[in-house]
Amino acid sequence: MRIVAGSAKGRVLAAPKSDDVIRPTADRVRETIFNVLGQRCDGLTVLDLFAGTGALGLEAVSRGAIKAVLIDRDKEALALCRLNTDTLKFTDRVEIIPATAIAGIAALGKKGRVFELVFSDPPYALTAGVPVLEALADAKVVSEGGVAVIEHGREETLPERVGDFVRIDERDFGTAIVTIFRLTIQTA
């Protein structure tokens, strides 16, 4: 597993001992996600939920994001996030929070934190897409026009709209599906 592009292009990331608990997003899936998003992340603040190895958030930092917050509750995942952040020398631009995704979102919302780009890549056994989008909306942690990238298994079908999040793209990678939403706040 490597960083696909940007300042850390080609750098190898530490991977989990097994993919039973932590299932990193494949390089080709990450590459496609960033192709859809427009390659560069200059000036963005990024939230990586169910961070695992931190690959998505760290890829965004490599591509110019000014800050990435990585959230996971698993001890091995948190250790991998720290190791990969240190290895890439991104410690000044990455914050690692030990929490569940929903609790982490709520805590960030209480602090008034806002993100332009959110990644959510939970274990496929969790049908977390809609609950994550609802939590993001409730906590008001995504900027207007911000994007949420939800990776999920085939058994989870996400709707066209969840609150003010509107689906703008969906890609099928066989066992993984990536659905991308944009926050479009409706004014009366």
Side-chain angles (χ1 to χ4, degrees):
M1 188 172 58
R2 299 178 182 274
I3 295 291
V4 177
S7 65
K9 180 180 180 178
R11 300 283 304 274
V12 176
L13 297 173
K17 294 176 186 134
S18 82
D19 61 359
D20 290 341
V21 176
I22 304 168
R23 178 203 29 80
T25 300
D27 292 357
R28 73 179 179 91
V29 175
R30 270 187 291 118
E31 185 172 21
T32 300
I33 289 169
F34 284 96
N35 285 340
V36 170
L37 296 175
Q39 292 290 333
R40 300 292 305 164
C41 295
D42 295 333
L44 297 182
T45 304
V46 177
L47 176 59
D48 187 353
L49 303 168
F50 307 95
T53 63
L56 287 164
L58 296 171
E59 182 77 38
V61 172
S62 179
R63 293 170 182 254
I66 58 172
K67 182 80 171 177
V69 175
L70 313 179
I71 296 178
D72 207 300
R73 69 176 184 184
D74 181 78
K75 287 180 182 175
E76 182 186 3
L78 293 165
L80 286 167
C81 287
R82 282 187 210 92
L83 176 61
N84 287 329
T85 298
D86 292 346
T87 299
L88 297 176
K89 298 185 179 7
F90 287 165
T91 53
D92 59 330
R93 296 182 1 205
V94 175
E95 178 182 352
I96 300 167
I97 298 174
T100 66
I102 303 300
I105 291 167
L108 291 167
K110 287 178 183 169
K111 292 179 181 176
R113 304 281 295 272
V114 178
F115 302 87
E116 292 84 23
L117 178 58
V118 177
F119 296 107
S120 177
D121 182 15
Y124 293 162
L126 292 176
T127 51
V130 170
V132 162
L133 290 168
E134 290 172 343
L136 291 169
D138 290 346
K140 297 180 176 23
V141 296
V142 180
S143 63
E144 184 170 0
V147 172
V149 179
I150 311 292
E151 189 172 339
H152 54 98
R154 302 195 68 71
E155 64 283 346
E156 183 176 15
T157 303
L158 296 178
E160 291 287 326
R161 177 179 214 103
V162 177
D164 289 331
F165 283 99
V166 178
R167 184 167 58 182
I168 59 170
D169 202 316
E170 186 166 85
R171 303 293 167 111
D172 189 332
F173 295 94
T175 57
I177 297 174
V178 174
T179 307
I180 303 174
F181 290 85
R182 182 175 308 280
L183 182 64
T184 54
I185 298 172
Q186 305 291 322
T187 56

